[in-house]
Amino acid sequence: MVTHTPDRQDVSPPRAPRPMRGTPQWAALESHMPALRERTLRELFAAEPDRAATMRISAGELYIDYAKQRVDATGLTLLSAIADAAGIIERREAMFRGERINTTEDRAVLHTALRLPRSASLIVEGADVVAEVHEVLDRMGRFTDRVRAGEHRGATGERLTTVVNIGIGGSDLGPAMASEALRHYSDAGISARFVSNVDPADLTAVLATLDPARTLFIIASKTFSTLETLSNAEVARRWLVDGLGGDESAVARHFVAVSTNAGRVAEFGIDTANMFGFWDWVGGRYSVGSAIGLSLMLRIGRQRFGEFLHGMRLIDEHFRDAPLDRNAPVVLGMLGVLNSELLGAQSRVVLPYSNDLARFPAYLQQLTMESNGKSVRLDGSAVDGSTGEIYWGEPGTNGQHAFYQLLHQGTRLVPADFIGFAEPTDDLLTADGSSMHDLLMANFLAQSQVLALGRTAEEIAAEGTEPGLVPHKVMPGNRPSTTILAPRLTPSVLGQLIALYEHQVLVQGTVWGINPFDQWGVELGKTQAKELLPLITGPGASAPGSDVDGSTAALIDRYRSWRGRS
Ligand SMILES: O=P(O)(O)OC[C@H]1O[C@](O)(CO)[C@@H](O)[C@@H]1O
């Protein structure tokens, strides 16, 4: 039995992360910045012939090239010194040990325990969390085996062929992204649909295509108190019962829940025998490897779901074992800090050259921005720099024909993460017999090359360009990017990509001294929506006693009048 104890590196007890600005390590980086700002990527490539060989890391099956980042060997050493001084090793080990590093919610942060092997043991506050994790995985496995084999059928005896996951945020984005990414591995004739928005258009559009007799609903909510999810779940239940001739008992065969809150699941009317649990130490945006991934397991089966978890574990192990300056989440997280804090980048664009990863940027938006969009440190003091990179993106080559113009010639610096695969999930041949996948990947390679090296006025003039057009055609270059290449988009590789970004969040949160694991900023909007609802449906905001601000009151009045309620 493998016991996961903090024995990998000699660590002292965890401390709150230290603010990094003002430390000697930060000052050293700042004094090196003129060298990084002045030298272009063209110059760096010319000056450092072995740049490509040294600025790459293999982690799991991911080949990560960061030679096109605006950094040199000294800069990289200084960046890892900052991560070290911020206490990343202690914080990482405290996380893996199951300490309550999410102090504002008094919780451990143990998504990494979701992917420990059955043979491992991790005792946290007296309980072996690995045993608990595998008990749930086994239950999920038995259930999904039965649905996939047609043994668990709908109330009328039909096979269940569509699973509808109703959830939002972390209870939607992970499984929705992964289900699309791994569509190629769906092998039991089960399709998955995802409903998240409280906008009735979402559920209406999905239900319109479905047969209740063949539909299984998964109500996924960590808290089981989320307005959007419960509203959609109630309507879905009514639709099912009505569609099956008013048979209330059908709910038991067509509804399962995924939650940490058995009481609320029972209150909602789902038998807790049909509930798959997880734990408060799994943050919503870190939960795709928990029972929140049930829809994915239904599609790809328990073995491939296991490979997905294994992929995450490969990167967990790399994150724990690799020295900081060869550690992919540390290096990439710190390059994000460099770009956003010292090179003036305002966002990071993620460009998967895989249509199957279309939802990956949206998934990363919650993972990174809900985690590190904070402006106070763990001790409640204000941060003194910026935090939380803004993530966005679209699959290549679609983005090329939409926003790459700004990436190449705009005034803003937008560092890019390119993600691509050697083997296609599908390939087609063009009329001349060439592989469309090769065409896609030629674009993948060309774009980062052009971003980095650009084209000068002299080079453009030398091509015979009319002088008046030369400035319009200059490609400034010197725009940083990282390229992540993997053999193929398998369940394991998807798990590796997810964990690579998860751990970057911890690295950056540690350097910024903030808590990446709470999300207090989303609460007030929810409360105020509840307060405004009766004004919208009842007397209006201009009624005596209403203390709604003038702008909102006028909007409510206009809304009510257009709804015919004045
Ligand atoms: O799974 P739940 O409890 O329904 O929460 C859904 C989402 O809502 C949030 O709390 C934010 O509103 C996310 O952190 C979470 O992933």
Side-chain angles (χ1 to χ4, degrees):
M1 173 178 289
V2 183
T3 302
H4 285 257
T5 53
D7 57 359
R8 297 215 176 186
Q9 303 201 17
D10 187 23
V11 289
S12 37
R15 284 170 278 148
R18 296 173 281 278
M20 276 295 101
R21 282 174 181 264
T23 60
Q25 290 81 7
W26 191 268
L29 179 63
E30 280 187 321
S31 31
H32 186 60
M33 285 314 294
L36 295 185
R37 289 196 188 102
E38 277 155 22
R39 277 186 303 164
T40 63
L41 278 166
R42 274 192 183 217
E43 288 162 348
L44 288 170
F45 271 103
E48 299 169 343
D50 61 346
R51 190 173 169 84
T54 55
M55 292 194 187
R56 66 177 182 225
I57 293 175
S58 288
E61 294 165 272
L62 308 179
Y63 174 101
I64 302 166
D65 174 309
Y66 47 97
K68 296 191 185 83
Q69 289 285 349
R70 283 174 53 187
V71 72
D72 58 11
T74 309
L76 286 166
T77 306
L78 294 171
L79 286 170
S80 57
I82 290 173
D84 196 10
I88 185 60
I89 294 176
E90 297 156 32
R91 203 143 170 81
R92 177 191 69 194
E93 293 308 308
M95 177 179 83
F96 277 94
R97 271 198 299 266
E99 287 183 27
R100 297 184 178 221
I101 63 168
N102 175 0
T103 47
T104 60
E105 294 181 321
D106 192 23
R107 288 178 183 165
V109 176
L110 264 181
H111 43 278
T112 50
L114 298 171
R115 44 250 198 177
L116 284 174
R118 194 181 292 279
S119 58
S121 153
L122 177 65
I123 309 295
V124 178
E125 297 170 12
D128 185 352
V129 296
V130 180
E132 292 175 15
V133 163
H134 280 271
E135 194 185 311
V136 176
L137 281 172
D138 288 344
R139 280 194 60 224
M140 289 166 65
R142 287 193 294 273
F143 176 70
T144 55
D145 283 353
R146 292 184 56 233
V147 175
R148 286 161 57 83
E151 289 161 24
H152 177 108
R153 290 179 175 242
T156 61
E158 297 263 13
R159 255 182 115 104
L160 295 166
T161 51
T162 304
V163 50
V164 180
N165 186 87
I166 297 181
I168 196 164
S171 300
D172 165 71
L173 287 161
M177 176 276 290
S179 178
E180 193 172 320
L182 301 178
R183 110 196 121 74
H184 186 75
Y185 297 88
S186 170
D187 57 356
I190 295 178
S191 65
R193 307 293 300 274
F194 294 84
V195 174
S196 52
N197 202 328
V198 76
D199 180 344
D202 197 1
L203 183 59
T204 305
V206 169
L207 294 184
T209 62
L210 299 181
D211 170 3
R214 304 168 73 87
T215 304
L216 173 70
F217 289 94
I218 299 175
I219 312 304
S221 174
K222 180 174 171 181
T223 55
F224 230 77
S225 63
T226 304
L227 172 86
E228 290 89 341
T229 301
L230 294 190
S231 307
N232 277 318
E234 276 161 18
V235 177
R237 183 169 58 185
R238 206 167 57 232
W239 173 85
L240 180 98
V241 171
D242 290 351
L244 296 180
D247 177 10
E248 284 285 343
S249 68
V251 171
R253 297 203 70 75
H254 290 263
F255 273 74
V256 297
V258 176
S259 186
T260 58
N261 195 333
R264 288 226 165 115
V265 168
E267 241 170 67
F268 179 82
I270 296 180
D271 188 340
T272 49
N274 295 330
M275 169 183 150
F276 299 88
F278 59 114
W279 306 269
D280 70 358
W281 42 259
V282 183
R285 50 195 177 272
Y286 300 88
S287 65
V288 63
S290 73
I292 289 291
L294 185 66
S295 54
L296 179 64
M297 194 190 269
L298 277 159
R299 290 201 80 200
I300 68 175
R302 64 159 104 184
Q303 187 186 329
R304 288 195 166 122
F305 192 82
E307 290 163 17
F308 174 62
L309 297 177
H310 177 73
M312 292 182 182
R313 188 162 80 240
L314 289 177
I315 300 299
D316 295 344
E317 287 169 357
H318 166 87
F319 183 45
R320 277 190 107 175
D321 292 339
L324 296 187
D325 61 349
R326 304 294 306 150
N327 190 307
V330 174
V331 171
L332 299 192
M334 291 309 297
L335 286 169
V337 171
L338 173 77
N339 287 330
S340 62
E341 291 215 54
L342 295 162
L343 289 173
Q346 289 150 350
S347 68
R348 186 197 299 205
V349 67
V350 178
L351 304 166
Y353 276 65
S354 161
N355 221 51
D356 294 337
L357 280 181
R359 296 290 287 158
F360 196 56
Y363 170 76
L364 292 183
Q365 282 177 333
Q366 190 206 14
L367 175 66
T368 63
M369 290 160 75
E370 198 172 74
S371 293
N372 278 339
K374 313 283 163 66
S375 46
V376 293
R377 293 195 190 98
L378 271 159
D379 63 5
S381 63
V383 298
D384 53 3
S386 54
T387 65
E389 287 184 88
I390 297 170
Y391 272 70
W392 60 291
E394 280 288 319
T397 59
N398 297 5
Q400 290 176 207
H401 294 271
F403 53 79
Y404 277 38
Q405 166 64 37
L406 184 148
L407 303 187
H408 285 298
Q409 286 189 316
T411 54
R412 298 172 196 280
L413 184 73
V414 187
D417 286 0
F418 287 86
I419 302 172
F421 304 94
E423 284 292 325
T425 40
D426 302 289
D427 203 1
L428 296 170
L429 301 183
T430 60
D432 68 0
S434 42
S435 147
M436 282 177 72
H437 182 72
D438 287 340
L439 198 56
L440 171 75
M441 294 307 284
N443 276 275
F444 167 81
L445 296 167
Q447 291 297 329
S448 59
Q449 195 181 36
V450 172
L451 280 171
L453 306 179
R455 193 171 291 290
T456 64
E458 295 70 45
E459 287 165 344
I460 288 167
E463 287 164 357
T465 305
E466 184 214 316
L469 263 186
V470 168
H472 297 278
K473 290 194 155 187
V474 167
M475 302 293 283
N478 207 27
R479 294 167 185 233
S481 68
T482 295
T483 300
I484 303 170
L485 187 63
R488 189 187 175 97
L489 182 53
T490 59
S492 172
V493 164
L494 182 65
Q496 294 169 46
L497 285 170
I498 290 171
L500 176 69
Y501 282 90
E502 282 178 349
H503 296 319
Q504 286 184 60
V505 168
L506 180 76
V507 170
Q508 297 190 334
T510 301
V511 169
W512 289 322
I514 57 182
N515 179 4
F517 304 111
D518 62 13
Q519 56 285 317
W520 297 108
V522 300
E523 295 307 323
L524 186 58
K526 294 182 192 170
T527 317
Q528 295 208 349
K530 279 192 191 139
E531 284 168 12
L532 291 182
L533 183 61
L535 298 182
I536 290 170
T537 55
S542 313
S546 158
D547 62 353
V548 174
D549 69 85
S551 159
T552 309
L555 287 164
I556 290 175
D557 287 346
R558 176 54 59 98
Y559 172 83
R560 285 171 51 79
S561 118
W562 280 345
R563 289 279 278 164
R565 290 195 187 131
S566 333

